[in-house]
Each structure stands twice: as C-alpha cells, then as structure tokens.
Amino acid sequence: MSDIAVILPDGTELSVEEGATVRDAAFEIGPGLGKDTVAGVVDGELVDKEAPLHDGADLVIVTDQSDEYLSVLRHSAAHVFAQALQRLHPEAKLTIGPWTDEGFYYDVTNVELEQEDLEAIEDEMRDIVEEDLDIERVLVDREEALEKYADNPYKRDILENEAAGDEELSFYQQGEFEDLCKGPHVESTGEIGAVKLLNISAAYWRGDEENDTLTRVYGTAFESESDLEEFLDMREEAKERDHRKLGQELDLFAIDETTGPGLPLYMPNGKRILDELADYAKQLNLDAGYDPVETPHLFRTELWKKSGHYDNYVDDMFLLDVNDEEYGLKPMNCPGHATIFDQKSWSYRDLPVRYFEDGKVYRKEQRGELSGLSRVWAFTIDDGHLFVRPDQIEDEINLIIENILTVFETFGLDAEVALATRPEKSVGSDEIWEQAETQLRAVLDDSGIDYGIEAGDGAFYGPKIDFAFKDALGRKWDGPTVQLDFNMPDRFDLTYTGEDNEDHQPVMIHRALYGSYERFFMVLVEHFNGKFPFWLAPEQVRILPISDDQIGYAKKLQYELGDFRVDIEDRSWTLGRKIREAQEDRVPYMVIVGGNEEEAGTISVRDRKEREAQDVSVEEFRDHLRAEYDEKRVEPDFLDDR
Ligand SMILES: [Zn+2]
Ligand SMILES: [Zn+2]
C-alpha cells in the first residue's frame, strides 16, 4: 500500500497508509493520543475519528482537551434530546439536529410541543445520560437506510441530496435510538455532564419559507453543572441587554410590520448615536486621506453583470423591472465606486485613490433569519474602496488595520482577527487568489497580530481579513473586513498610467471600520448595556430642578451647556423619582438644582454611577464635558476624584 501525507497544525507532515483514518493518524503520532482521540478536524471540518484521510489534508486531532470537544459533546446531546423526545412522543419525526455556538438544536415535526413540555423531555434526557449508553457508529447500506426512513420524508430528502452518491451511510446508535448522522460523537451518553433545553421556535425545512414549518427546540450541554450555571447566568445578563429590548426602552429604533421586515427605523435617540458614529468614522477617513463619494440605491443590472454580482449574488438581490429594463438595489457599494474611479484617467503618482461612503445596501435574507438589527434587509456600510499600485498594498493594508484597531480601542472592544480564504463560488484565476492570499498573510505576519484561518470564507472576488468584536460579555460579533481584490479592477478594465507610460491595472481594497452600522449599533447597545459613553449618549445631561421654582434657572443652564444634548425634567415629580427615571434612561450626567444652587449660581452633579458632588461651577463642568466629548472617553469621569 502506498503512503499519503497529512499536514499537522505545526506545519509538519505525517506519513500514513492510504485509507488511514483520523484515529490511525493519531496512533501514528503516539499511542496515548490515539486512545484519547474523540474526533478530527480535516480541512477545517469537524469529522468522526473513523473518517478517512486524503493526501495533503490539514489534520487536527480532537481530544476531550480540545476546543472542538464541546461541539462534539453538544451534538451528542442533540441525539440525547431526540432519543428522549421519541421515548415520550413516539410519533415525532426527526429532521436535523446540529450543534451551534451556544449548544444545539433539533428540528422536529409531527408533534405538538410547548415550552412546558420541555421539562419532562429534559428529565428523560438526564435519565439517558444516567444510563450511560454507548454511542456507536454503524454503517448501513443505502436501501436499508431508505427503508428505515420510509415514513420520514426529511431524512429521505437528505439521503437523496446531501448523501446522494453514498452507498454506505453512517448511523449513530445509543440504546434503542439511532439517527442518520455524519458525527462525530462522544463515546457514551454518560460523558455529557449537564444538559438544558432552552426554548422552542418555528423553523422551515432547509430554512426555506416555501417548505414545511418545523418545531425547533434549542438546548445546550456542558461537561459540568458549574459550566452550565455560568452559561445560564451569562444568558440571563444577555437577555437583559438584548438590543431589541433596550432599543424599545430607550427609544432607539423600531422594526414595524407595516413598513416591512428587516427594515429598521431609527428614532431621534438612535439617529443621534448613528450621527456621532458617522462623524467619528468620517474624521478617521479624512485624516487617513480618503475622499467622500456618493452613489444611489439602485443601478441597472448591467452593472451587476459586469461586477459579477449578478452571477454570484443574484439570490440575495432585490431586482426591479423599470420600463422593461432590469434594475437591482445595490447589495454592495463597490461597483459604484469602481465606476467613479473609471470616470478619469490616472497616473501612478495619483495612487492610492481612496473613496468612502456611508452606503445603504440591500440584501434579501430569508425572512425567518431576520432578527433585530443583527440580520436585516437594509443596512448601511461605512464603506471604503482603495485603488492602489501593487507596491502600495502592504502599506495601505497596514494603515487600514491600524485604523480599525483604533476604533476597537475607542469603544473598549477586543478584536479577534482571521484570514478568510477562497470560497467555493468565486471569480478569478488560481494564480491571482494565491497572490492575494499570500500578501494578506504577509501583512498579518509582519504586524504580529494573532490571527486564525477561516478556510473558504473569503468574498467571491478575493480573500479578506475579518475582524470580530468581542463585547463586554465575551461574545463575538462579525465586525469590519479588509478585502484584497484583483478581480473587480479586471472586470471594470480599470487602469492607471505607469512610470513607463504604459497602462497598468490598480488593485482594489475593500474595507470598513465598523462593518455595518446596524450590526455595530447592536453590538454597542449590548456591550454598553445602553450606558453609552458621554460622546455617544442621545441625551448627555438631564437637568433636574428640585421644584418648579427652579425651571427658569434650569433653562439658563441648558442654554449655557448648549453645545451638548441637554434636557430638563419638568414633570412635577419628587427629586427621588426624577433621579430614578434619569438613571433608568442611562443619562450619563444629572444636574440637580434647588434654591441654594440658584442663589449661589452653582450646580450639583450626579452621574449614572450614583456619585454626586455639590457646589460645582457651571464653567468647570462645561469644560470637563468638552474634554470628555472630544477625547471620546468610555465612562463619565467628572466625579472620579471628588
Ligand atoms: Zn447527528
Ligand atoms: Zn466593496
């Protein structure tokens, strides 16, 4: 038998026999590792330890010490859920039950489930864990598999699509239960330390609203009860901070069924925050040598054909017929910016050319996928496109990374960085992709930033560097990206005149600082729990007159603090109630004025951290606010040293 070579995480090659499995390779490395192997990651995909290897495969061995172990455990917990469900509701039909970042779900049908039913299923799940059933992988031939699922059209659909060519299918068995599944799984149900069912929602078969409606049950699992408890506490805190809840309480934004799903409406409070964000990004862009441009919301589809969007992206586009001509709402701003660049002839000395626009884009997500501001149909990208000479790529990308990290720092967010490589559906030659990926890798390596690889996650026109926001609760959200693109300049036939007087093709770089305003807004609401920094807060100061007698003085103060967003609480409430209300509205500063303050011409200042100071001069307070605003400080700090 001939040998094949697989590549281990440290870059070394391991030679194994042809037909070797993940576990065989682990034994080849060492018998201890062989015994501890739970699963493998082959070319970025989590697979069973019995999965065969191919020559050149990237291989990571998964043990119960690996990060991936939790996903394996949770997938097994999904099977335990399905088993418990079938014990209690034998009529239920199973469809799919994958692991997720937070746990797992299983989509089921032919059974009526309410939130109250979950407890009994959860008890049954604990029994199954207690029974410590071996989880075994069995191979079944196609005919037998089809027979097993004679009255389950969903599993048959999987057999006829995803598993179309497979003559042998893997099933996983535990006790009386079995499920068509690629795995991987833990060894026995007893390995699952803690399970919890979380909630029920509706889902569509294959996520398509034209298909049958299914019941989706979400759950989670951990190695220990204490890990589960920590997760549930965090989840409670996240619920409190949910941007949809706070968005309503703080009058930030709304999504109205009448105006349409996934189409956010910003109220004055939300718009004030957006404007501050836009001003900040604009200043960073101007300082970095970008020029503002503007493009409309729709273009003829001729443009989308030229850019490649029509071939690669049309399912996500909103198309319109206008006088027998087809138009499309723009899903991206790049083709517009490329066309602007193309209006003029450029010399090598003019490059880099850097454009930016807060451009509204429209992408048709499945209705069932829409959620608050995190998944929407209409959103604005703080979009920048650079047209650079090949020798400028490295410097420009370094500058962009620096700007992006400045933004993270301003908001107190941590960054997680990854290089996303060529996806299945893509345009451009192998050579161009190779070159682009190598260049991005070189910049990241030189910068000393820690980064991971997201295989196959690049844009269809080029590889990208993805930045994820890590918020105050340690959660990760998609953030801005930097994309290197040799394809669009080619499709648009963009040129500049080189030093040699010949035509050359510029390289296009796509980048954003926030990514989408909607996503970033959502992250900020939850990250700050609605307690925005002073510079962002929709209402920055609220003046609380102790009695109606001080309303005149309050108005004078409002005028003196006129550079800022200052409101007066003029309802005839007790001071205690006024403070509670301002606290609930998360206003950074309260200015409290009674007869004494009016007489002395001073103020009392209270912040939302419940600290207070008396006899403050208006001028001193105003100067402090100016500095706090200009320096974009994260916390109100006037009362820090008082
Ligand atoms: Zn499964
Ligand atoms: Zn772009």
Side-chain angles (χ1 to χ4, degrees):
M1 244 189 196
S2 59
D3 279 359
I4 55 170
V6 294
I7 298 141
L8 301 176
D10 63 0
T12 59
E13 280 192 8
L14 177 74
S15 170
V16 291
E17 277 182 10
E18 199 175 334
T21 62
V22 170
R23 193 162 53 148
D24 295 337
F27 268 110
E28 201 64 46
I29 300 167
L33 186 64
K35 268 197 282 192
D36 290 345
T37 300
V38 174
V41 179
V42 175
D43 298 332
E45 200 191 336
L46 189 55
V47 297
D48 194 274
K49 58 180 180 280
E50 300 301 340
L53 297 167
H54 65 87
D55 193 36
D58 284 315
L59 172 67
V60 184
I61 304 289
V62 176
T63 69
D64 64 2
Q65 300 301 307
S66 315
D67 289 347
E68 291 85 358
Y69 177 68
L70 196 54
S71 301
V72 179
L73 186 93
R74 285 166 168 178
H75 187 187
S76 299
H79 281 214
V80 170
F81 161 76
Q83 183 172 18
L85 180 73
Q86 299 228 287
R87 282 186 182 177
L88 301 177
H89 305 271
E91 74 286 6
K93 283 195 200 329
L94 304 175
T95 72
I96 55 158
W99 72 85
T100 64
D101 285 349
E102 293 218 304
F104 64 83
Y105 65 79
Y106 216 116
D107 286 348
V108 299
T109 182
N110 205 39
V111 59
E112 292 280 325
L113 288 181
E114 304 288 338
Q115 190 74 29
E116 305 86 78
D117 302 321
L118 295 187
E119 210 170 303
I121 302 171
E122 212 177 271
D123 283 344
E124 193 63 42
M125 288 174 75
R126 291 202 185 90
D127 288 348
I128 294 168
V129 168
E130 195 81 4
E131 288 163 30
D132 195 14
L133 304 170
D134 284 345
I135 303 176
E136 276 168 312
R137 178 171 181 261
V138 281
L139 292 174
V140 169
D141 68 48
R142 181 164 201 85
E143 211 152 301
E144 199 185 332
L146 283 165
E147 223 161 88
K148 281 180 195 289
Y149 289 130
D151 57 357
N152 185 328
Y154 308 98
K155 294 287 191 189
R156 286 182 79 100
D157 193 13
I158 295 170
L159 288 171
E160 277 147 23
N161 288 289
E162 284 91 335
D166 306 352
E167 273 318 307
E168 275 197 321
L169 297 136
S170 70
F171 276 69
Y172 282 79
Q173 227 168 28
Q174 56 202 47
E176 81 289 359
F177 175 80
E178 62 176 359
D179 199 0
L180 171 70
C181 174
K182 286 207 287 192
H185 285 281
V186 297
E187 297 267 313
S188 80
T189 59
E191 249 181 80
I192 304 167
V195 291
K196 178 88 194 154
L197 293 180
L198 299 169
N199 56 292
I200 299 185
S201 74
Y204 299 105
W205 173 239
R206 297 200 182 280
D208 188 339
E209 59 197 270
E210 309 268 294
N211 290 342
D212 295 354
T213 308
L214 309 170
T215 303
R216 177 168 295 181
V217 179
Y218 287 95
T220 193
F222 286 90
E223 286 178 63
S224 70
E225 285 292 341
S226 62
D227 286 355
L228 172 64
E229 247 154 65
E230 200 179 305
F231 166 84
L232 292 174
D233 286 349
M234 183 77 108
R235 195 162 172 269
E236 207 42 53
E237 174 67 30
K239 227 187 241 173
E240 283 300 307
R241 291 173 179 231
D242 190 305
H243 73 286
R244 288 162 296 189
K245 176 173 170 280
L246 287 180
Q248 201 166 33
E249 285 170 15
L250 302 174
D251 291 328
L252 301 176
F253 74 94
I255 292 173
D256 192 299
E257 267 307 305
T258 318
T259 45
L263 302 170
L265 309 168
Y266 288 95
M267 273 103 91
N269 279 348
K271 178 62 175 161
R272 283 181 191 115
I273 296 171
L274 281 183
D275 280 351
E276 290 289 357
L277 292 175
D279 287 351
Y280 176 51
K282 183 175 181 183
Q283 198 52 55
L284 287 175
N285 287 330
L286 293 175
D287 290 349
Y290 286 70
D291 291 311
V293 293
E294 189 174 309
T295 58
H297 292 218
L298 83 166
F299 288 115
R300 293 166 68 171
T301 48
E302 291 314 303
L303 181 77
W304 306 116
K305 285 173 186 163
K306 196 170 166 183
S307 66
H309 285 86
Y310 203 80
D311 287 338
N312 290 278
Y313 217 79
V314 74
D315 293 344
D316 296 322
M317 286 180 66
F318 291 95
L319 299 174
L320 309 94
D321 228 2
V322 186
N323 303 331
D324 289 335
E325 244 188 305
E326 196 179 35
Y327 284 73
L329 287 177
K330 62 177 174 181
M332 293 189 194
N333 298 302
C334 351
H337 293 184
T339 309
I340 291 175
F341 180 84
D342 202 23
Q343 299 305 304
K344 224 180 115 164
S345 31
W346 300 96
S347 133
Y348 67 96
R349 279 184 303 256
D350 301 323
L351 270 43
V353 169
R354 309 178 186 94
Y355 294 146
F356 80 92
E357 173 184 14
D358 283 338
K360 188 73 96 185
V361 296
Y362 301 85
R363 297 183 192 169
K364 197 161 61 182
E365 303 258 4
Q366 295 279 0
R367 267 192 81 147
E369 302 282 308
L370 299 175
S371 160
L373 292 178
S374 68
R375 283 284 189 98
V376 285
W377 276 355
F379 56 100
T380 306
I381 302 176
D382 69 306
D383 223 344
H385 292 100
L386 298 85
F387 303 87
V388 310
R389 302 193 307 258
D391 63 288
Q392 294 170 322
I393 291 176
E394 203 158 326
D395 283 351
E396 286 303 315
I397 291 189
N398 269 318
L399 273 172
I400 291 167
I401 292 177
E402 204 175 291
N403 271 322
I404 289 177
L405 293 179
T406 302
V407 169
F408 274 80
E409 201 181 322
T410 299
F411 296 93
L413 291 158
D414 287 331
E416 208 166 282
V417 185
L419 176 64
T421 57
R422 187 174 190 171
E424 248 171 64
K425 232 180 171 186
S426 62
V427 292
S429 70
D430 291 352
E431 193 192 340
I432 274 178
W433 274 88
E434 177 79 39
Q435 184 190 351
E437 288 181 7
T438 308
Q439 258 167 320
L440 285 187
R441 207 182 284 261
V443 175
L444 284 171
D445 287 339
D446 287 350
S447 69
I449 296 173
D450 262 348
Y451 67 97
I453 303 282
E454 289 165 351
D457 256 2
F460 71 83
Y461 46 76
K464 55 184 180 145
I465 302 173
D466 281 335
F467 290 78
F469 301 115
K470 260 178 99 176
D471 73 7
L473 295 186
R475 297 171 302 172
K476 271 189 303 182
W477 307 100
D478 288 346
T481 62
V482 187
Q483 308 175 357
L484 203 48
D485 182 356
F486 297 88
N487 290 305
M488 211 172 294
D490 194 34
R491 287 175 163 265
F492 280 80
D493 204 13
L494 304 179
T495 56
Y496 65 92
T497 310
E499 212 168 350
D500 55 5
N501 252 324
E502 301 284 325
D503 276 356
H504 293 267
Q505 201 167 79
V507 178
M508 201 167 162
I509 301 172
H510 311 241
R511 59 100 261 194
L513 298 174
Y514 302 140
S516 112
Y517 275 90
E518 279 64 21
R519 172 68 58 91
F520 193 57
F521 190 91
M522 175 206 90
V523 170
L524 292 184
V525 171
E526 300 198 3
H527 172 63
F528 290 122
N529 191 13
K531 293 175 190 148
F532 297 104
F534 177 77
W535 70 279
L536 276 182
E539 183 184 352
Q540 296 169 311
V541 178
R542 187 175 298 176
I543 304 176
L544 315 181
I546 290 176
S547 78
D548 287 354
D549 296 343
Q550 284 87 45
I551 287 189
Y553 183 50
K555 284 187 172 154
K556 179 169 168 277
L557 291 170
Q558 186 184 34
Y559 177 77
E560 285 174 29
L561 298 172
D563 286 351
F564 304 102
R565 295 183 283 271
V566 182
D567 284 339
I568 299 172
E569 176 57 86
D570 57 6
R571 285 171 287 198
S572 303
W573 288 347
T574 62
L575 181 62
R577 186 167 177 198
K578 288 178 182 178
I579 290 175
R580 272 199 308 280
E581 181 85 0
Q583 194 72 28
E584 254 173 46
D585 291 342
R586 295 159 168 79
V587 183
Y589 290 111
M590 294 161 235
V591 164
I592 299 168
V593 288
N596 293 342
E597 281 83 5
E598 179 167 12
E599 211 164 291
T602 61
I603 56 176
S604 287
V605 176
R606 187 184 162 99
D607 67 13
R608 64 178 172 220
K609 293 170 156 177
E610 299 180 43
R611 301 177 298 187
E612 209 173 315
Q614 268 118 32
D615 292 324
V616 174
S617 97
V618 181
E619 203 175 27
E620 188 200 347
F621 183 54
R622 191 177 54 206
D623 289 349
H624 176 90
L625 294 184
R626 172 50 54 204
E628 198 173 313
Y629 180 91
D630 288 346
E631 288 167 27
K632 309 211 161 357
R633 296 181 200 156
V634 174
E635 295 285 351
D637 60 358
F638 180 70
L639 295 162
D640 266 7
D641 299 314
R642 282 172 185 263

